[in-house]
Amino acid sequence: RCVAVHVRRTDKFKTRRREDRLPPKSFPEYAQLYRGWAYWRQTRPPAELQLLVGSEDKHTYSLFPPLVAPSVSYWVPPRFFVMDMSEGKTFKSINQGNSRLEQLYAIMSYRATERNQSAAALAAVASSDIDAAGLLKDEGMVLVAQMILMGRCAAFIGSYASNVAVLVHDLMAHSRLLDGGRFQVLDVNGRSYCGCGASFCMTLEKKALRDPTRSTEDIVTSFHA
C-alpha cells in the first residue's frame, strides 16, 4: 500500500496560526508520524509499504527516505521543478524558486531581444541553452500530476497549513468514495480538517485560541449570528 507524504518547507511563518509560531517540523518528526501510522494501522511489514514523497525542498529526497527504511520511497525527480535550478543553494524559503523563475524569464527576454527572436521562438530551440531550457519545464502540470497520484494513495501525512494537503485530502476522499475504500490523513501539527477548504477550520481555531473559555458550539453558533 502507498502512503503519500508531503514535507512542508515554505515561508509562511509570519501569521497567527498555531504551527506558524513554531519552528517547521523536522524530517525525523515526519518519519515518526509515519512509523506510528504503520505500527498502529498496518498489518503488513514496513518493507512492503511504499511512500510517495513530495516537498518544495529537494534535500527532502536524500534525508527523509533513510528515516523510513525499509519502506521504499518514491518521488518526482526534482529536476522537473524550477527549485532544482538553484544549484548550490540551501533551501531557505519557497521564494527561492520564485526568484529563480524571474531570473530565467529575464534571461529569455534578454536573449530573445539579442537574437531578434520572440521568447516563444527562442524557447522552442532552447534545448542547447541550459538556462533557457529551464523555462521549458511545465512545473504546474508536474505539481498537478503529483497531487493526483497522492490522491490515489491509502493514507496521507502532511500539514493542512499547505494547500497541497487540503487538495490531496479532497482528491483522496473522492477516490475512496468511488471505490468504497477508507483513507487516513495525519496532520504533522495535530490539526483536524472537516473538508471546508480549510478556511472554516482555521477561523474556528483562531477564535478558540483567542478565547479558550468559549465552547466549540458557541463559536460555531456565532458564525451564523
Side-chain angles (χ1 to χ4, degrees):
R1 301 186 70 178
C2 183
V3 181
V5 179
H6 181 259
V7 179
R8 179 176 181 255
R9 289 285 186 273
T10 73
D11 58 334
K12 298 176 182 177
F13 295 99
K14 298 179 181 178
T15 71
R16 292 181 295 176
R17 291 182 301 194
R18 181 178 62 205
E19 69 272 23
D20 291 345
R21 297 195 297 270
L22 301 171
K25 295 296 183 179
S26 65
F27 295 127
E29 288 175 298
Y30 277 91
Q32 182 61 39
L33 188 58
Y34 164 72
R35 289 187 176 280
W37 173 86
Y39 180 83
W40 291 106
R41 296 288 187 175
Q42 284 294 305
T43 56
R44 300 184 183 188
E48 294 183 11
L49 299 177
Q50 301 172 327
L51 293 87
L52 176 58
V53 183
S55 179
E56 305 94 275
D57 182 1
K58 62 182 179 181
H59 294 99
T60 299
Y61 309 118
S62 59
L63 299 176
F64 180 74
L67 299 176
V68 295
S71 298
V72 180
S73 298
Y74 298 91
W75 56 87
V76 177
R79 67 176 180 274
F80 290 106
F81 296 93
V82 172
M83 181 64 72
D84 190 51
M85 299 302 290
S86 300
E87 297 180 5
K89 293 184 178 180
T90 301
F91 181 87
K92 294 180 180 178
S93 78
I94 199 171
N95 287 332
Q96 286 172 281
N98 298 336
S99 297
R100 183 56 178 166
L101 192 59
E102 292 177 3
Q103 292 173 3
L104 292 173
Y105 273 108
I107 291 172
M108 286 293 293
S109 178
Y110 173 77
R111 291 180 182 171
T113 302
E114 184 182 55
R115 303 175 191 181
N116 195 28
Q117 292 178 295
S118 68
L122 186 58
V125 295
S127 58
S128 60
D129 189 325
I130 295 177
D131 285 318
L135 285 179
L136 299 180
K137 299 179 181 182
D138 191 342
E139 183 169 288
M141 287 305 297
V142 175
L143 287 170
V144 169
Q146 176 180 271
M147 288 186 287
I148 290 175
L149 289 172
M150 286 183 165
R152 300 303 300 271
C153 292
F156 177 80
I157 294 173
S159 169
Y160 284 132
S162 167
N163 291 327
V164 171
V166 174
L167 288 169
V168 171
H169 171 280
D170 293 348
L171 288 169
M172 195 174 285
H174 178 70
S175 178
R176 295 289 82 81
L177 178 66
L178 294 178
D179 63 23
R182 299 179 61 186
F183 71 99
Q184 291 120 20
V185 179
L186 292 82
D187 181 271
V188 73
N189 296 292
R191 164 176 279 142
S192 58
Y193 169 59
C194 69
C196 64
S199 58
F200 178 80
C201 292
M202 290 184 178
T203 301
L204 181 63
E205 182 177 343
K206 287 178 181 178
K207 288 180 177 292
L209 289 173
R210 192 176 300 126
D211 185 359
T213 63
R214 297 181 66 184
S215 67
T216 301
E217 180 181 1
D218 178 46
I219 296 174
V220 172
T221 303
S222 71
F223 282 111
H224 307 285

